[in-house]
Amino acid sequence: MISPEKHQRMANAIRFLAMDAVEKANSGHPGLPMGAADIATVLFSRYLKFDPKNPLWPDRDRFVLSAGHGSMLLYSLLYLTGYEDMTIEDIKQFRQLGSKTAGHPEYGHASGIETTTGPLGQGIANAVGMAIAERKLAEEFGSELQSHFTYALVGDGCLMEGISQEAIALAGHLKLNKLVVFWDDNKITIDGAVSLSDSTDQIARLKSAHWNTIEIDGHDQDAIAAAIEAAHKSDRPTFIACRTIIGFGAPNKQGTHKVHGSPLGAEEIAAARKSLNWESEAFVVPADVLDTWRLAGLRSTKARKEWEERLASSDAEKRAEFNRRFAGELPGSFDTTIDAFKKKIAANNPTVATRKASEDALEVINGLLPETLGGSADLTPSNNTKTSQMKAITPTDFSGRYMHYGIREHGMAAAMNGISLHGGLIPYAGGFLIFSDYCRPSVRLAALMGIRVVHVWTHDSIGVGEDGPTHQPVEHYAALRAIPNLLLFRPADETETAECWQIALKEKHRPSGLALTRQNLTPARTEYEEKNLSAYGAYELISASDAKVSIFASGSEVELAIKAQQTLAAKGISARVVSVPCFELFFEQSADYQKAIIGNAPVKIAVEAGIRQGWDAFIGNDGAFIGMKSFGASAPAKDLFKHFGITVEAVVSAAEAKLA
């Protein structure tokens, strides 16, 4: 038990590191770290199970600072508890170029940062995913290897963002009782009092979602401790409303929006030092306080060593599987299994929609990889994401491998990030491509963090048909291709779909999206090829050494390109066809390869049922583009392709016009 005086000095160490770092940078948010310091001190010094000497210990508790603008809270804690890669010099370099202490916590920049936060609401949804992963892996490997809590600290902004409701509702439904969320209830936002924009009864809201709720004074260490202990005994996720004073300790600015996102100023910091009886200079933590914090950082060493002993003494096969999965490695037989599947496809050459081709690939993949955790945003029959191995996860039974996320694309995508970040599982889930807009903030963060998440986006074009323009993606290929470090695949048939899945699962450090058709497609590849041609991003499907025309296409339009090539050949015009399943991979190939694939044909044509943006890299400014220039319409798919001029005849006419 830490005395009130010792607790206060430990909390004040956080407060002064935060205010001094923000002051030096002349940028940042001191208010939250100062207000939430008591909560963090109790959690990190008495309850959080972690080991700074072994930051990736798989059974550590996870802490997510959802209110990422308060990053100095986390940076201070990492330094104080003894993470070796967080030094006082790093604290001094807050928000500077190349610093580990960025404006918001960034995953991978320093040990102990479990996820990148900043876009409000994302963190709590990540935490829900982490809690899902813990519960699922505990079911699979036993509580002796997986039994830990996920904690998140949220602010009013996190709770106002709509994604929070999706995450909260899902967690309540699943009874994720090892999820504990602290609400820094300081009643202040950037504009001023929360009452300017919101009057939600958050306790009632959480109760309605079947959470355990507790209200406390966020500056009372005994109340904080009692709340955490009560949360540990709950059969539901717990929401602890901590009434705090933003900027606690700054006598003239605390409790106001002036302390939220601006440096306090030298005068106010001096006043705070006097108010809190803190005599140390900037960036100096008294030796006795630092020693106490460092001891707190060592508190779980025994628990970690005991866990390592349990892992070492577990069944050899179980231990090997656990280690493989937390290393993120695929089984050694993965490539040969996909190769055998490709041989089977070539033997049958099925005419299927690529959403069905994806299901066929997943049937093979899910049979081999026990770590895949599938799901859908209430579109399972349309996305074809549930295979024979995928029993549904329920609130009372986590032995399954399939998540019914409900109509919650925002929350689903962010939870998938949390599942991936936790380790031990590879999440994939489905939705319509049009609703990738709802997933986009989480997809962007997955790309920023460099994590393995796979999105299955079906109904990928005007081929959706009768659902009309609200459901027909037009600009979405271009929009997703604009996200750095995201792989967007648009396979043309079953073989390419299998290859794209193979690539996506082997990519440990970037997310992928598969844009898949509703309508059936004639096979573009009819012969078995050992190489994964899709891994080149673009490859020559039909060659012609004397080509006058090069036709580039992706997805369903590859079929049109092939037929156009045949029509042109019948007319004595030599043409070649290039399938382009993934822009990003193509532009990672050598300059010579790119030049060879783009070729020297005087006429270049691209065909895709989306907007032109991005295709000029293949066809140049003067190339012909057969695609969309507007939103879609409601009609049968074949009528729409004809109406919008995405046809074999249009490709042929464009080629002839350019050659004339």
Side-chain angles (χ1 to χ4, degrees):
M1 182 69 179
I2 297 171
S3 70
E5 294 76 20
K6 180 66 77 175
H7 164 88
Q8 195 61 41
R9 297 190 75 209
M10 292 174 74
N12 285 344
I14 296 172
R15 292 185 174 108
F16 283 98
L17 285 174
M19 67 178 86
D20 290 337
V22 171
E23 187 70 18
K24 183 175 185 293
N26 196 30
S27 174
H29 300 74
L32 182 145
M34 295 169 71
D38 292 304
I39 303 165
T41 298
V42 173
L43 178 63
F44 273 70
S45 68
R46 293 173 59 181
Y47 295 100
L48 194 73
K49 184 174 69 172
F50 70 110
D51 186 351
K53 305 299 182 189
N54 194 331
L56 297 179
W57 170 27
D59 200 36
R60 68 191 181 280
D61 288 342
R62 271 60 169 182
F63 173 74
V64 174
L65 181 63
S66 186
H69 56 274
S71 59
M72 272 309 308
L73 176 75
L74 182 54
Y75 299 147
S76 299
L77 288 162
L78 297 179
Y79 165 66
L80 291 168
T81 55
Y83 283 82
E84 291 177 0
D85 60 350
M86 185 60 68
T87 68
I88 196 65
E89 290 305 313
D90 293 313
I91 299 294
K92 291 177 181 178
Q93 291 301 307
F94 178 57
R95 290 195 164 208
Q96 303 309 300
L97 184 63
S99 172
K100 297 171 188 173
T101 49
H104 295 82
E106 292 187 37
Y107 173 74
H109 278 214
S111 302
I113 300 173
E114 300 286 3
T115 180
T116 295
T117 55
L120 295 177
Q122 284 283 330
I124 185 174
N126 291 168
V128 170
M130 292 174 186
I132 288 169
E134 187 277 339
R135 177 92 173 269
K136 169 62 190 159
L137 291 166
E139 177 76 34
E140 191 172 352
F141 289 102
S143 59
E144 68 275 11
L145 295 184
Q146 285 287 277
S147 180
H148 55 263
F149 285 87
T150 302
Y151 299 93
L153 178 66
V154 306
D156 288 292
C158 295
L159 297 180
M160 285 191 209
E161 291 287 0
I163 190 174
S164 71
Q165 181 57 29
E166 296 185 15
I168 287 164
L170 181 62
H173 169 72
L174 291 172
K175 298 184 167 97
L176 299 176
N177 65 309
K178 288 193 172 180
L179 174 63
V180 181
V181 174
F182 299 95
W183 172 29
D184 180 32
D185 179 18
N186 58 40
K187 304 197 181 303
I188 295 293
T189 63
I190 291 174
D191 281 359
V194 168
S195 58
L196 287 171
S197 59
D198 193 53
S199 53
T200 302
D201 183 339
Q202 298 291 358
I203 297 297
R205 175 190 174 201
L206 272 290
K207 281 183 177 177
S208 75
H210 304 289
W211 282 57
N212 173 37
T213 62
I214 303 170
E215 296 180 74
I216 62 169
D217 176 349
H219 299 297
D220 181 337
Q221 69 160 324
D222 293 335
I224 297 165
I228 294 171
E229 290 177 13
H232 287 179
K233 298 170 186 171
S234 176
D235 62 351
R236 293 172 290 170
T238 297
F239 182 74
I240 305 174
C242 307
R243 184 71 182 93
T244 61
I245 299 171
I246 190 169
F248 181 93
N252 303 302
K253 293 185 177 181
Q254 67 177 21
T256 72
H257 70 284
K258 293 178 181 178
V259 78
H260 173 90
S262 303
L264 295 179
E267 188 176 328
E268 186 70 0
I269 291 176
R273 277 183 156 75
K274 186 175 181 181
S275 171
L276 295 175
N277 194 29
W278 189 262
E279 297 178 354
S280 299
E281 297 177 1
F283 301 107
V284 174
V285 178
D288 64 316
V289 176
L290 188 57
D291 287 347
T292 306
W293 267 116
R294 293 290 159 89
L295 284 172
L298 298 172
R299 186 175 43 80
S300 300
T301 302
K302 182 173 181 288
R304 191 255 303 164
K305 288 180 177 177
E306 289 171 349
W307 177 87
E308 288 174 345
E309 290 171 4
R310 291 196 298 273
L311 177 65
S313 62
S314 61
D315 173 79
E317 187 176 333
K318 179 179 179 180
R319 181 173 67 253
E321 179 69 1
F322 185 90
N323 287 333
R324 175 187 74 79
R325 286 169 55 173
F326 270 89
E329 302 294 342
L330 299 178
S333 59
F334 178 70
D335 286 334
T336 55
T337 301
I338 296 296
D339 192 60
F341 178 53
K342 283 172 61 178
K343 288 178 181 176
K344 182 180 176 184
I345 295 169
N348 298 313
N349 285 324
T351 297
V352 295
T354 49
R355 62 170 174 166
K356 172 59 179 160
S358 173
E359 180 183 23
D360 293 343
L362 281 169
E363 184 67 36
V364 173
I365 289 162
N366 291 337
L368 179 66
L369 305 183
E371 62 263 43
T372 52
L373 184 65
S376 174
D378 198 55
L379 291 168
T380 297
S382 297
N383 299 149
N384 294 46
T385 43
K386 193 168 187 278
T387 62
S388 65
Q389 305 89 349
M390 295 276 150
K391 187 178 79 169
I393 286 172
T394 72
T396 55
D397 183 0
F398 264 66
S399 62
R401 293 171 58 191
Y402 194 81
M403 287 288 303
H404 288 285
Y405 285 101
I407 305 91
R408 300 186 182 104
E409 286 91 351
H410 296 273
M412 175 181 77
M416 288 166 68
N417 287 354
I419 292 166
S420 180
L421 288 161
H422 179 279
L425 296 167
I426 301 174
Y428 75 85
F432 286 174
L433 181 59
I434 195 78
F435 302 129
S436 65
D437 283 344
Y438 288 178
C439 304
R440 189 179 182 87
S442 302
V443 172
R444 182 178 187 273
L445 282 170
L448 179 65
M449 290 188 278
I451 58 175
R452 179 167 45 191
V453 173
V454 185
H455 292 270
V456 180
W457 288 314
T458 67
H459 296 57
D460 74 334
S461 73
I462 57 172
V464 171
E466 294 85 346
D467 276 340
T470 61
H471 282 53
Q472 292 168 7
V474 172
E475 75 278 21
H476 295 72
Y477 315 138
L480 289 163
R481 287 167 181 156
I483 299 176
N485 203 43
L486 170 69
L487 296 180
L488 179 69
F489 296 102
R490 195 162 182 254
D493 63 3
E494 183 141 29
T495 296
E496 280 197 359
T497 304
E499 289 182 341
C500 291
W501 264 111
Q502 183 179 24
I503 299 161
L505 290 168
K506 291 179 76 170
E507 284 284 355
K508 291 172 65 174
H509 301 297
R510 53 182 168 184
S512 301
L514 281 78
L516 306 171
T517 67
R518 179 193 187 193
Q519 71 273 32
N520 290 340
L521 305 179
T522 303
R525 300 248 298 272
T526 56
E527 302 291 330
Y528 164 72
E529 168 62 58
E530 183 179 0
K531 282 183 182 176
N532 185 323
L533 297 179
S534 298
Y536 293 99
Y539 63 94
E540 199 170 60
L541 193 61
I542 299 175
S543 61
S545 58
D546 59 343
K548 296 289 187 292
V549 180
S550 286
I551 309 171
F552 303 86
S554 77
S556 52
E557 288 69 69
V558 171
E559 183 176 330
L560 299 181
I562 293 170
K563 290 178 180 176
Q565 185 273 340
Q566 293 167 349
T567 303
L568 288 167
K571 293 187 173 194
I573 300 172
S574 178
R576 59 195 282 270
V577 175
V578 174
S579 179
V580 189
C582 183
F583 276 36
E584 297 77 26
L585 291 177
F586 176 68
F587 293 119
E588 290 174 9
Q589 304 307 311
S590 69
D592 287 345
Y593 182 83
Q594 292 182 44
K595 186 177 179 181
I597 292 300
I598 290 172
N600 298 314
V603 175
K604 296 181 176 64
I605 302 171
V607 195
E608 186 172 66
I611 62 172
R612 178 171 179 143
Q613 189 170 326
W615 279 104
D616 284 5
F618 290 88
I619 62 175
N621 293 335
D622 58 347
F625 179 71
I626 308 298
M628 296 295 292
K629 297 178 182 177
S630 67
F631 294 112
S634 181
K638 288 184 179 179
D639 294 344
L640 289 173
F641 277 96
K642 184 176 181 181
H643 174 74
F644 288 107
I646 306 173
T647 62
V648 173
E649 294 75 20
V651 179
V652 172
S653 295
E656 290 177 326
K658 287 280 186 182
L659 288 169

